[in-house]
Amino acid sequence: YLYNPQREEVTWLRWQENKATGKGPEIMVQVQGGMQRVRVLKAGSIGTRGSVIFFTVTRSDFLFNTTYMIDVIFPTRTEARHFDAPEGVRVHFCGVGLTDAAIFIAGLLAKEERPEAVVMGGIAGVYPHSRFKIGDTVIVEKEREADLGFFYPDGFRLLARMDNVLDFPISEWITCPWIDERITLPRASSNSMNAAMAPFAPTDDADIENMEGAPFFKACTRAGVPFFELRTISNEVDLNRKEWDYEGSIKKLGHHMSLFVRSLAEAMPNTAL
């Protein structure tokens, strides 16, 4: 768009008609990499140039109602059962495990209309030494690929803790820099593993474990997209599987995810004007 401060005019150069709402002259406009919803009350200078349709409106002639592109990702449809998605929020299902999560999230962020923020939600297991318990919902502040490494006669060694002869970037923890004091959920550190409950993984410095978080953190960090991960604890990490609460934890996950995503949408700055 072009903005003329003297005439208080905004010229939108790319738009796409929104027929889903049935609310009259409402269109979807691409602005700074995101989609905004605008209800035009009066428009002038309407014309076409090739495949581009353009028009101008004055500030006093339109109602600006912002919808930000926030994508929410769950590993499974089951975990999304109680999530109440706000208007304009897209919900995706990446599948279970590090590989499926990595492929899906990388593809999502590679699209031209990539999201302005991404939130992952799912259930998780809690380690016995953690301060958290079944039913708690946390926001993950750091993730680790906890089963990435080598076995030696004396046991498993995490790749990030080894002296590697190959030259490649690696760090033990991937952190989320977007968490601030406005987020009141307790913060947790998490192991990500394909082999859930693997007895060889380092756990002393982690609170919970899941199967998708580390590639989510990595992909969003490399793409420069704000991201958040919420997990509700469904079970203890125990090979005897003595206590699980699927239904209760999924209900709590849906509740907290709904509140969090709504708060995130309200907190996002107006990038259009």
Side-chain angles (χ1 to χ4, degrees), residues 42-242:
K42 181 180 179 181
S45 304
I46 300 176
T48 61
R49 184 173 300 160
S51 60
V52 177
I53 303 175
F54 61 93
F55 61 93
T56 62
V57 295
T58 66
R59 275 184 185 269
S60 59
D61 286 337
F62 71 85
L63 169 67
F64 194 82
N65 178 20
T66 303
T67 298
Y68 295 98
M69 285 184 68
I70 300 176
D71 281 7
V72 174
I73 302 172
F74 293 92
T76 66
R77 295 182 182 275
T78 306
E79 289 160 296
R81 186 183 298 156
H82 299 284
F83 175 60
D84 181 17
E87 182 182 358
V89 171
R90 302 183 300 189
V91 180
H92 308 275
F93 308 99
C94 66
V96 175
L98 305 181
T99 303
D100 276 2
I103 292 171
F104 180 86
I105 296 162
L108 181 70
L109 298 179
K111 294 181 179 179
E112 181 179 355
E113 295 177 0
R114 73 180 188 179
E116 294 171 295
V118 190
V119 184
M120 171 172 276
I123 57 176
V126 64
Y127 292 119
H129 62 265
S130 172
R131 63 190 177 100
F132 302 116
K133 63 183 184 301
I134 293 174
D136 288 345
T137 298
V138 300
I139 187 160
V140 180
E141 62 179 348
K142 58 181 181 178
E143 282 278 5
R144 170 174 62 192
E145 291 181 87
D147 57 358
L148 180 61
F150 290 86
F151 278 96
Y152 285 84
D154 59 347
F156 177 76
R157 299 182 191 178
L158 198 68
L159 183 61
R161 296 180 181 178
M162 296 173 57
D163 294 327
N164 298 305
V165 296
L166 301 177
D167 184 11
F168 64 98
I170 188 169
S171 58
E172 182 170 348
W173 292 100
I174 316 107
T175 60
C176 176
W178 305 98
I179 302 173
D180 61 24
E181 68 281 354
R182 293 173 295 179
I183 299 175
T184 58
L185 288 170
R187 304 181 185 187
S189 57
S190 179
N191 279 341
S192 289
M193 301 186 291
N194 276 327
M197 303 189 188
F200 56 82
T203 62
D204 291 346
D205 49 355
D207 296 302
I208 63 172
E209 73 172 35
N210 70 81
M211 303 177 74
E212 302 83 21
F216 172 67
F217 269 47
K218 280 190 173 183
C220 292
T221 297
R222 292 184 183 182
V225 175
F227 63 94
F228 305 92
E229 181 186 8
L230 273 65
R231 294 281 174 172
T232 299
I233 297 168
S234 60
N235 62 281
E236 293 184 4
V237 179
D238 187 314
L239 293 178
N240 296 319
R241 302 171 66 90
K242 63 181 179 181

Side-chain angles (χ1 to χ4, degrees), residues 225-262:
V225 175
F227 63 94
F228 305 92
E229 181 186 8
L230 273 65
R231 294 281 174 172
T232 299
I233 297 168
S234 60
N235 62 281
E236 293 184 4
V237 179
D238 187 314
L239 293 178
N240 296 319
R241 302 171 66 90
K242 63 181 179 181
E243 186 177 359
W244 288 69
D245 184 11
Y246 275 123
E247 188 56 35
S249 61
I250 289 171
K251 283 183 179 179
K252 290 181 179 179
L253 174 66
H255 171 73
H256 286 287
M257 284 286 289
S258 300
L259 292 178
F260 184 85
V261 173
R262 288 183 185 278

